[in-house]
Amino acid sequence: MTKWDYDGPILEIENLSISFFTRLREIPAVMDFSCVVQPGEAMGLVGESGCGKSTVALAVMRDLGKNGRITGGTIKFKGRDLTTMSEEELRDIRGSEIAMIYQEPMASLNPAMKIGKQLMEVPMIHEGVSAEEAHKRALEVVADVRLPDPARILNSFPHQLSGGQQQRIVIAMALMSKPALLILDEPTTALDVTVEAAVVDLVKDLGEKYGTSMLFISHNLGLVLDTCNRLCVMYSGEAVETGSIKDVFDKMQHPYTQALFRSIPLPGADKNSRPLVAIPGNFPLPHERPQGCNFGPRCDYFKDGLCNQGDIRMHDIPGNDRHGSRCLRVNEIDWNAPLVAAVKAEKTPIGKVVLKMDDLRKYYEVSANKLFGGGDTKVVKANETLSFEAHEGETLAIVGESGCGKSTFAKVLMGLETATSGTIMLYGQDIQDTPIENRTTETVSGVQMVFQNPFDTLNPSMTVGRQIIRALEIFGEGNSEEDRRNRMLELLDLVKLPREFADRMPRQLSGGQKQRVGIARAFSGGAKIVVADEPVSALDVSVQAAVTDLLMEIQRKNRTTLLFISHDLSIVRYLSDRVMVMYLGHVVELGTTDQVFSPPYHPYTEALLSAVPIADTKVKKKRIVLEGDIPSAMNPPPGCPFQTRCRWKSKVPGGLCDTEMPPVRTLKDGHQIKCHLSDAELGGMEPVITIAAE
């Protein structure tokens, strides 16, 4: 049989069970998992970290490592059972008929080998083609993944490409042998939302062009909606619901699926009037799963004596397209019942200006040949003419792609860097020239930061309680050790962690729990301004809801000013009072959340909104994919910084965008846009996101 003449299901996984064996015990990672992928279908696999998504993918590749073992069930690829194949048979299939794209592109590329050679290896090894034919195919596939100047790309090393370009090369490599099945494991997690949109479009188009079936692993339901036609929701090692995208999104039939959707910020959610509902409790550890339904202890519909007795199998949902649910009460629950209103919160009153930046610039000097001396000195303009105010009790979101200057501005505010020019006024005090070591304890404790990755910000050899007490000591809080210990316990209460966690080590905490410790530490000195740098992007969606809810609750209690740095516009829309959009060091748009999310937009804001994946079948989006990468801050384009990627540029007469920096224009009610477009053009803009009437 050739690789093309099979017309049954491409992938059939039946009752699959996988365990990992340690010295202490057998740890079941996946139990009784089944799914079918038909030719040309894209199956999304979603669920929280640790639910077994990647383990299923690695089992299909037969790459579970020394400790992993398939303990039951079958995995059939084109009718042949992969679980009984020899290493030699697997080698023929891997890379040739089944290809996998991993989360981190640099892990799949050889840093010491040119891109062309790495791509050519695939057909030369799997199909025995000549170097000349392989080179021709490599050029073709690099053009297919929409990379400019394929000949130059083939002659480049991986480090000479951006993250988005590297990921496209990995996709090109996977598609070189036209596989029947492509497995994508969180392929866009490390990418900006605009690059993600381009990569997702690319994967869809190439899947259709090559007729490839896909297994798409993600925790982002919006992405799955954009890329897949079927969906399998996993929880704690089991498939709990499976069906077509439309059936699962619009007619969900499992409490966990319902709980997942309630914890993500869809249009209409509001932090005060319609807050997100976090899933109660914690994800069970693999060796501590409950009796009966794994989701039972966290489920709103749990029934003692029914849900905690014996194994629960998948049930077919009649009338739908291969729709199944692992819930015993599926026919008793009113799935259309309105959500019991969560406690509505009062809007935090917005107070006086506490932070004012005026014409702030931050430049770095970089020598062309720093290592050996000599060479011209170049200037990296990380922040240009940054001006804004932040008020007491306000959440100001700062959004933009990597390299736009968001984190540089945060470092300057924190005193980790000093400004090149301009002023930063904190409570009327000028602080832009004062590095952190020269700032008063009051200033340092008053401006604190919550970082993106909770794993890197805690000392692994110190208990949670000790780390918070250490911060209290530095900030001069409390008169005695006992005072500080009591204050530490109060801070654990504030971030809703049990007091016994004070004696735990960071390794004993989940990601969401570690992030709460980071928040407790940030507030230990009575912080009035908190810079939250992507504080929830490393967390599962269900944990995200709890952490954002916590930040809002603390803000209401302490009247904190929150500067929320993010590229996730869904969470920004939910949380923020005002939004500042940055591009290449410039503020290109600034206004209230309603102003920034409704036309007229800056052309860059329009593209950002179009790129956001939204997990709602009723939402219609205009698709605007940005061409090219963000320019280098060392060599910015002349005129408008966005002109190299702007789809509106032709509407501006006289080549103004190429030569002149646009002025900051104030539209109605203080809405600012930095753009050359005329009032008529701005006024004629259409909404990017619309919601279809029910």
Side-chain angles (χ1 to χ4, degrees):
M1 182 173 78
T2 69
K3 65 190 269 186
W4 304 112
D5 60 4
Y6 181 78
D7 59 1
I10 295 296
L11 183 68
E12 282 177 285
I13 303 177
E14 205 170 324
N15 309 120
L16 179 68
S17 294
I18 302 163
S19 289
F20 289 91
F21 292 84
T22 67
R23 283 175 299 180
L24 289 177
R25 59 171 76 88
E26 174 188 348
I27 297 172
V30 173
M31 297 89 66
D32 186 33
F33 177 86
S34 300
C35 90
V36 177
V37 182
Q38 297 289 352
E41 259 183 2
M43 170 72 83
L45 216 49
V46 301
E48 293 169 277
S49 304
C51 72
K53 307 184 296 287
S54 296
T55 306
V56 168
L58 292 171
V60 173
M61 295 297 284
R62 288 290 310 277
D63 184 22
L64 289 167
K66 286 182 180 169
N67 295 348
R69 206 176 305 155
I70 293 169
T71 54
T74 57
I75 305 171
K76 287 183 182 167
F77 172 71
K78 291 186 173 180
R80 298 169 65 198
D81 192 351
L82 293 171
T83 60
T84 58
M85 279 189 192
S86 67
E87 276 301 316
E88 202 173 332
E89 289 174 300
L90 286 168
R91 258 197 308 274
D92 285 342
I93 286 178
R94 280 194 206 119
S96 158
E97 295 206 59
I98 305 177
M100 187 157 175
I101 296 168
Y102 294 90
Q103 189 167 347
E104 181 47 67
M106 268 314 270
S108 308
L109 295 172
N110 184 336
M113 193 189 280
K114 285 186 176 174
I115 296 294
K117 200 151 184 237
Q118 298 192 51
L119 287 171
M120 286 163 62
E121 273 188 345
V122 180
M124 287 169 77
I125 289 169
H126 286 293
E127 297 170 48
V129 304
S130 67
E132 193 181 346
E133 171 65 18
H135 187 264
K136 192 172 135 203
R137 278 213 222 164
L139 276 171
E140 192 183 309
V141 80
V142 168
D144 268 352
V145 295
R146 300 184 202 141
L147 281 170
D149 195 354
R152 180 186 64 79
I153 295 276
L154 291 189
N155 207 30
S156 303
F157 286 99
H159 70 268
Q160 294 171 302
L161 308 182
S162 70
Q165 289 174 330
Q166 287 170 3
Q167 193 61 289
R168 283 166 188 244
I169 290 298
V170 172
I171 292 168
M173 200 181 285
L175 292 168
M176 276 297 277
S177 57
K178 299 184 174 61
L181 177 67
L182 184 60
I183 301 172
L184 302 103
D185 190 358
E186 302 270 14
T188 59
T189 303
L191 304 178
D192 276 312
V193 66
T194 49
V195 183
E196 177 179 82
V199 168
V200 162
D201 275 8
L202 176 71
V203 166
K204 272 170 72 178
D205 292 350
L206 293 174
E208 284 166 22
K209 177 177 175 177
Y210 292 116
T212 308
S213 301
M214 287 191 279
L215 196 60
F216 190 96
I217 295 168
S218 182
H219 65 268
N220 187 328
L221 286 157
L223 262 189
V224 168
L225 174 62
D226 283 350
T227 38
C228 301
N229 34 38
R230 293 191 66 76
L231 174 64
C232 178
V233 182
M234 288 188 76
Y235 180 79
S236 190
E238 294 178 326
V240 294
E241 184 164 6
T242 185
S244 71
I245 289 285
K246 192 118 186 72
D247 285 343
V248 178
F249 273 63
D250 296 346
K251 296 184 273 188
M252 55 192 78
Q253 302 276 312
H254 194 279
Y256 176 61
T257 313
Q258 190 182 56
L260 261 189
F261 275 90
R262 286 175 178 174
S263 65
I264 54 180
L266 298 174
D270 178 270
K271 62 182 177 183
N272 298 311
S273 60
R274 279 190 57 193
L276 301 180
V277 181
I279 303 175
N282 289 314
F283 198 76
L285 293 170
H287 58 282
E288 292 175 358
R289 289 190 178 105
Q291 278 286 318
C293 176
N294 282 344
F295 188 58
R298 307 174 74 189
C299 180
D300 292 341
Y301 309 105
F302 178 77
K303 200 172 183 180
D304 193 17
L306 173 71
C307 300
N308 51 2
Q309 301 296 314
D311 290 340
I312 297 168
R313 302 267 168 214
M314 287 291 265
H315 300 275
D316 288 334
I317 311 293
N320 289 351
D321 176 18
R322 291 176 281 151
H323 191 182
S325 169
R326 195 181 292 269
C327 177
L328 291 173
R329 304 195 62 201
V330 67
N331 298 321
E332 301 169 30
I333 296 167
D334 180 1
W335 298 102
N336 298 315
L339 177 62
V340 178
V343 181
K344 289 188 181 180
E346 289 295 312
K347 189 179 188 309
T348 309
I350 307 296
K352 62 181 189 296
V353 173
V354 293
L355 174 70
K356 183 176 169 65
M357 284 200 181
D358 203 18
D359 215 15
L360 184 90
R361 288 175 166 86
K362 175 61 185 172
Y363 296 170
Y364 296 95
E365 285 195 355
V366 181
S367 167
N369 197 344
K370 194 93 176 183
L371 194 60
F372 304 108
D376 296 332
T377 298
K378 291 200 167 188
V379 173
V380 176
K381 298 181 177 182
N383 287 151
E384 273 278 34
T385 60
L386 209 60
S387 299
F388 72 92
E389 294 177 344
H391 298 76
E392 183 180 64
E394 176 181 55
T395 301
L396 173 66
I398 297 123
V399 300
E401 294 169 282
S402 306
C404 74
K406 307 187 297 283
S407 295
T408 301
F409 131 78
K411 285 176 191 166
V412 172
L413 174 60
M414 299 298 295
L416 301 171
E417 306 267 5
T418 51
T420 305
S421 66
T423 56
I424 304 176
M425 304 296 287
L426 180 68
Y427 290 101
Q429 185 187 352
D430 207 339
I431 61 164
Q432 79 279 351
D433 294 328
T434 316
I436 195 160
E437 59 269 22
N438 298 337
R439 290 186 178 182
T440 64
T441 305
E442 190 183 2
T443 305
V444 173
S445 64
V447 184
Q448 283 294 298
M449 196 154 178
V450 178
F451 295 91
Q452 179 171 359
N453 196 338
F455 311 94
D456 294 342
T457 54
L458 298 178
N459 185 331
S461 59
M462 207 184 266
T463 64
V464 164
R466 184 70 208 127
Q467 301 199 44
I468 297 172
I469 288 170
R470 178 98 184 87
L472 291 167
E473 287 168 356
I474 290 167
F475 296 145
E477 297 280 324
N479 299 319
S480 65
E481 192 61 30
E482 190 183 355
D483 269 2
R484 284 189 281 273
R485 181 159 179 84
N486 288 334
R487 176 72 185 128
M488 177 269 293
L489 293 172
E490 284 168 12
L491 284 162
L492 287 180
D493 295 341
L494 181 73
V495 296
K496 296 188 169 63
L497 282 177
R499 288 188 167 200
E500 55 267 27
F501 274 38
D503 300 318
R504 289 197 181 180
M505 304 300 279
R507 65 172 184 275
Q508 296 171 290
L509 273 56
S510 69
Q513 289 166 343
K514 285 178 187 166
Q515 193 61 292
R516 285 165 187 257
V517 176
I519 293 168
R521 207 169 47 177
F523 281 93
S524 57
K528 288 295 174 198
I529 296 177
V530 170
V531 181
D533 190 358
E534 302 270 15
V536 293
S537 64
L539 306 176
D540 279 312
V541 284
S542 55
V543 184
Q544 267 186 21
V547 171
T548 50
D549 196 35
L550 173 69
L551 281 169
M552 291 299 100
E553 199 174 310
I554 295 173
Q555 182 182 52
R556 289 184 198 107
K557 198 177 281 186
N558 296 7
R559 292 181 58 73
T560 319
T561 304
L562 192 63
L563 300 180
F564 191 84
I565 297 174
S566 182
H567 67 265
D568 182 346
L569 285 167
S570 299
I571 211 101
V572 162
R573 185 177 204 163
Y574 172 69
L575 277 186
S576 58
D577 301 302
R578 285 192 306 139
V579 181
M580 181 165 96
V581 183
M582 288 184 71
Y583 186 81
L584 211 59
H586 294 260
V587 176
V588 294
E589 184 162 4
L590 177 63
T592 65
T593 307
D594 287 342
Q595 286 169 342
V596 171
F597 278 78
S598 314
Y601 314 105
H602 185 279
Y604 178 57
T605 310
E606 181 192 47
L608 276 183
L609 289 172
S610 150
V612 180
I614 301 172
D616 190 335
T617 53
K618 294 189 286 296
V619 167
K620 297 282 174 276
K621 278 187 304 178
K622 198 188 279 184
R623 204 66 167 145
I624 303 159
V625 174
L626 286 181
E627 297 299 326
D629 291 311
I630 192 165
S632 162
M634 202 184 292
N635 188 22
C640 171
F642 188 59
Q643 54 105 343
T644 57
R645 304 167 82 193
C646 182
R647 75 188 191 106
W648 290 84
K649 185 176 162 183
S650 59
K651 308 273 188 188
V652 178
L656 210 57
C657 299
D658 294 325
T659 54
E660 282 189 37
M661 178 67 69
V664 175
R665 294 156 61 193
T666 303
L667 310 177
K668 62 178 184 184
D669 301 327
H671 182 194
Q672 294 177 8
I673 290 183
K674 196 173 196 170
C675 186
H676 284 304
L677 281 173
S678 67
D679 288 352
E681 291 289 358
L682 285 171
M685 279 189 168
E686 294 175 350
V688 173
I689 298 167
T690 51
I691 300 171
E694 300 234 4

